[in-house]
Amino acid sequence: MAQIISTDISSLELAANALGTGKLVALPTETVYGLAADATNGNAVAGIFSAKGRPHFNPLIAHMATLAMAERYVQFDDLSRKLATKFWPGPLTLVLPVRDGAEIHPLVTAGLTTLAIRMPRGPVREIIAMLDRPLAAPSANSSGRISATSAQAVQDDLGAKLDLIVDGGACVVGLESTIVKIENGQAFLLRPGGLAAEEIEAFLGQPLHRLDQRAAIQAPGMMASHYAPDAAMRLNVSEVREGEALLGFGAQRAAGAENAAAVLNLSPSGDLHEAAVHLFDYMKKLDAAGAKTIAVEPVPHHGLGEAINDRLSRAAAPRD
């Protein structure tokens, strides 16, 4: 199994040295734990796809330590730079044209002419700065499965395939980053996430255009089936069927909740930030309870609820 280390300076140096020699390291961010590799090292990036069982047509996010580092690899338009200046470091990913000659391995972009980039919060930024190269880092879980929000969740899923796991505690956002692309002065939401779309719209003074779910994959998290537990998922329930586990939200329970095989409430007070923090952890715990189906009470679609419902709908989608 992987060695779990802390976030003290010697541990971060150990992680940076491992990444510099092409090894895989799981790192904490404010969103979820990432499975990191040097984004300029093809063999290291290939290791991400192998460890996760991730399709090679699904691009990766490159994580940067500073805006100046990002400028070395992508071309910013005015609106994208405005967004980066406002929301970085934080849970916002921007999709931008790759600079000619940029040393990003083609596996990271999945053959696209654009690169998804973000500047994360937490010790991962220190590691990137030590390495002075961007890190490709999708969520640290098997492809299509529930994202990891703790070091132990990473160890349970991928520990046998990694060298190191940096334990930064539980993730404070709990959802992957929001992904935005600017085209011809218009902003497109490629994936809702840990930064509410309304915040971006208010800052830009224009709407975020949503893509049809059948749109071609331009960024991570756009596959129809994703974030899935072993159990089936039944969404927006008003009643619980015999043998189901229940993922609740708010103060009122669905009919038959008292007979559920297991019950966890994302937020008894109806707080969407609290619900986002708990989402993946509670899905894992209910899945481990052994029920064949997890029934999910309705979650509002505003604010972070848009991202929560996106993850739930992909978790409930038909699987190959």
Side-chain angles (χ1 to χ4, degrees):
M1 300 298 280
Q3 179 186 359
I4 297 180
I5 59 177
S6 70
T7 56
D8 60 49
I9 187 64
S10 62
S11 295
L12 299 186
E13 289 172 347
L14 179 64
N17 289 336
L19 289 160
T21 59
K23 294 180 179 178
L24 299 181
V25 179
L27 300 173
T29 77
E30 76 279 31
T31 56
V32 298
Y33 274 69
L35 177 56
D38 178 353
T40 69
N41 182 329
N43 287 332
V45 175
I48 291 176
F49 287 92
S50 177
K52 284 177 63 72
R54 183 185 180 96
H56 282 69
F57 58 78
N58 197 4
L60 305 175
I61 295 173
H63 294 67
M64 307 287 175
T66 63
L67 184 56
M69 175 183 281
E71 294 268 15
R72 286 159 33 192
Y73 298 95
V74 296
Q75 295 176 311
F76 278 85
D77 58 88
D78 290 342
L79 277 184
S80 294
R81 185 177 285 104
K82 183 178 177 181
L83 286 169
T85 302
K86 170 66 175 178
F87 293 111
W88 282 359
L92 173 67
T93 290
L94 298 170
V95 175
L96 295 162
V98 180
R99 285 191 180 277
D100 290 342
E103 294 183 355
I104 293 290
H105 196 273
L107 279 173
V108 178
T109 63
L112 300 173
T113 59
T114 55
L115 176 65
I117 63 170
R118 87 174 184 101
M119 186 194 302
R121 292 195 198 113
V124 61
R125 271 187 78 198
E126 297 178 59
I127 293 171
I128 299 168
M130 290 174 184
L131 189 66
D132 194 34
R133 292 193 293 277
L135 292 177
S139 55
N141 53 274
S142 297
S143 184
R145 304 307 300 274
I146 302 171
S147 300
T149 56
S150 69
Q152 189 58 53
V154 179
Q155 183 78 293
D156 292 343
D157 186 353
L158 296 178
K161 301 177 181 180
L162 308 183
D163 293 282
L164 296 173
I165 300 171
V166 178
D167 187 354
C171 299
V172 297
V173 174
L175 291 171
E176 295 85 356
S177 59
T178 302
I179 303 181
V180 171
K181 183 179 184 182
I182 303 295
E183 285 188 349
N184 301 318
Q186 292 188 307
F188 291 85
L189 182 67
L190 303 188
R191 179 180 74 183
L195 176 63
E198 290 92 334
E199 283 193 58
I200 301 171
E201 290 173 330
F203 177 70
L204 289 178
Q206 64 168 277
L208 277 175
H209 300 282
R210 272 66 169 175
L211 296 181
D212 188 293
Q213 284 206 344
R214 295 167 295 181
I217 292 175
Q218 303 178 52
M222 295 181 69
M223 294 179 66
S225 179
H226 209 21
Y227 317 106
D230 288 327
M233 301 280 287
R234 195 165 65 88
L235 307 184
N236 300 312
V237 305
S238 57
E239 86 292 332
V240 182
R241 298 171 184 168
E242 184 177 353
E244 290 184 326
L246 177 63
L247 186 61
F249 178 82
Q252 301 298 317
R253 294 284 64 74
E258 65 277 4
N259 298 320
V263 179
L264 288 172
N265 193 334
L266 291 171
S267 175
S269 66
D271 182 280
L272 288 169
H273 180 269
E274 181 183 20
V277 170
H278 289 153
L279 178 64
F280 291 134
D281 182 42
Y282 284 9
M283 285 172 62
K284 282 180 178 290
K285 287 176 177 175
L286 290 179
D287 199 30
K292 292 184 178 180
T293 302
I294 299 171
V296 185
E297 292 176 349
V299 176
H301 282 261
H302 62 79
L304 291 180
E306 181 177 9
I308 293 169
N309 280 289
D310 172 80
R311 303 307 189 270
L312 289 170
S313 65
R314 294 179 194 276
R319 305 168 196 174
D320 293 335

